[in-house]
Amino acid sequence: EAVIPKNAVFASNTSTLPITGLAQASKRPSQFIGIHFFSPVDKMPLVEIILGKKTSDDTLARALDYVGQLRKTPIVVNDSRGFYTSRCFGTFCAEGAAMLQEGVNPALIENGARMAGMPVGPLAVADEVTIDLQWKVIKQTEADLGRKFVKPVSYDVVRKFVEELKRPGRRFGGGFYDYPQDAKKHLWPGLAAEFPRALQQPAVEEVQKRLMYIQALETTRCMEEGVVTTAAEADLGSILGWGFPAWTGGTLSYIDTIGIRNFVAECDRLAKRYGKRFKPSKW
């Protein structure tokens, strides 16, 4: 701020840290905004614009103009830890890790996700964004929230890969996958020893349901909390931002297709079997 013009917009590309908190360090919080790009930036068409509590309408307008000049598609969301896209996408990675810990065959997890229409499986994408980054986000959230912090279902798996196994992701040489220079990547053979396979494996449909429903359910929570304010932006963000299957029409259209009654009933069943993260809110 000491060197940029007084009318300049200061934007952060953070994917998780609340914009309102970052803006507290600014003398011009009305000109502070989140402009969240997706990786790889040259290929991903969506940009998530995040409003801090003091972000002005003028700053928002200029951010939208900027994204338009880049010929990308914007969605506008309100401030929240993880915002909309990272928060919902994070449930996909976390559920994959939870299944791995339960003893589900990692190949079943990855192939089930791809068969449902996700671009890659949750373990592969965790390697791409790095398990190390997930651990840093978890630790930062834990430090910020204190007693209110609730461990994600992936907590133990992520900690183990970073702190014990020293396999924090692709750019560090390996994570859930190995990346040989002269061959295609493949699931790390050590997974079988670290996470023994359960004798009874779930049906692929059950794996797909867990991965798809958890993302859709988190979207409804974001709608309920006012993080995302329109169904159109929620659907658009899910498809263009993190690759939710296009055939569904997006996370909320997916629920509409299933039918809300059926979706809620199935979430209740999943909650009883796998944990309260599947429990739908009263809303």
Side-chain angles (χ1 to χ4, degrees):
E1 282 188 342
V3 296
I4 61 176
K6 288 186 177 181
N7 66 341
V9 167
F10 200 120
S12 171
N13 181 48
T14 178
S15 57
T16 56
L17 299 174
I19 294 302
T20 302
L22 294 177
Q24 289 175 0
S26 171
K27 293 179 181 177
R28 305 192 288 269
S30 65
Q31 291 164 234
F32 198 99
I33 196 167
I35 301 181
H36 178 210
F37 291 84
F38 297 83
S39 182
V41 175
D42 59 322
K43 294 179 181 178
M44 300 301 283
L46 190 81
V47 176
E48 183 180 35
I49 296 177
I50 306 105
L51 299 175
K53 286 185 178 178
K54 295 185 178 179
T55 303
S56 70
D57 289 344
D58 179 70
T59 298
L60 171 60
R62 293 172 70 185
L64 287 166
D65 283 346
Y66 168 65
V67 172
Q69 288 176 49
L70 296 178
R71 297 183 180 179
K72 291 188 179 290
T73 301
I75 61 169
V76 180
V77 305
N78 289 311
D79 203 10
S80 165
R81 186 169 295 276
F83 317 128
Y84 165 54
T85 54
S86 294
R87 180 173 157 179
C88 295
F89 173 67
T91 64
F92 174 63
C93 296
E95 199 62 29
M99 284 192 271
L100 181 69
Q101 192 171 29
E102 292 167 16
V104 178
N105 188 327
L108 176 57
I109 298 169
E110 297 293 86
N111 290 328
R114 287 198 294 267
M115 288 168 65
M118 294 297 295
V120 290
L123 305 181
V125 79
D127 268 9
E128 293 293 337
V129 300
T130 77
I131 308 167
D132 182 59
L133 176 61
Q134 291 181 61
W135 184 233
K136 286 177 179 176
V137 169
I138 289 171
K139 296 303 289 181
Q140 183 66 51
T141 304
E142 188 173 14
D144 290 348
L145 298 185
R147 290 183 177 181
K148 293 182 180 179
F149 174 73
V150 177
K151 284 185 177 181
V153 289
S154 58
Y155 188 97
D156 291 336
V157 173
V158 171
R159 183 196 59 76
K160 185 170 191 171
F161 267 83
V162 174
E163 296 195 344
E164 294 179 21
L165 301 175
K166 308 298 182 186
R167 294 181 62 88
R170 180 170 186 169
R171 72 183 177 89
F172 298 99
F176 295 111
Y177 283 75
D178 274 336
Y179 300 91
Q181 291 185 346
D182 56 348
K184 285 186 176 182
K185 71 178 184 182
H186 54 80
L187 284 162
W188 178 46
L191 288 174
E194 296 294 337
F195 304 98
R197 310 277 165 82
L199 293 176
Q200 185 75 28
Q201 290 291 312
V204 66
E205 292 80 10
E206 183 77 347
V207 169
Q208 292 172 324
K209 189 167 285 187
R210 287 177 65 175
L211 293 172
M212 297 284 280
Y213 272 52
I214 199 68
Q215 297 176 77
L217 189 56
E218 195 64 28
T219 299
T220 67
R221 294 186 182 118
C222 287
M223 284 288 291
E224 181 177 14
E225 295 168 23
V227 177
V228 62
T229 57
T230 70
E233 285 182 301
D235 279 343
L236 195 65
S238 65
I239 293 173
L240 298 184
W242 74 83
F244 196 76
W247 66 264
T248 64
T251 44
L252 292 184
S253 289
Y254 177 62
I255 296 174
D256 287 338
T257 301
I258 294 168
I260 291 176
R261 285 182 185 276
N262 293 334
F263 181 81
V264 168
E266 195 60 16
C267 282
D268 284 335
R269 180 188 72 81
L270 292 169
K272 288 178 182 178
R273 184 160 187 179
Y274 303 109
K276 61 182 180 181
R277 63 188 178 279
F278 282 103
K279 190 71 179 171
S281 67
K282 291 179 181 179
W283 181 80

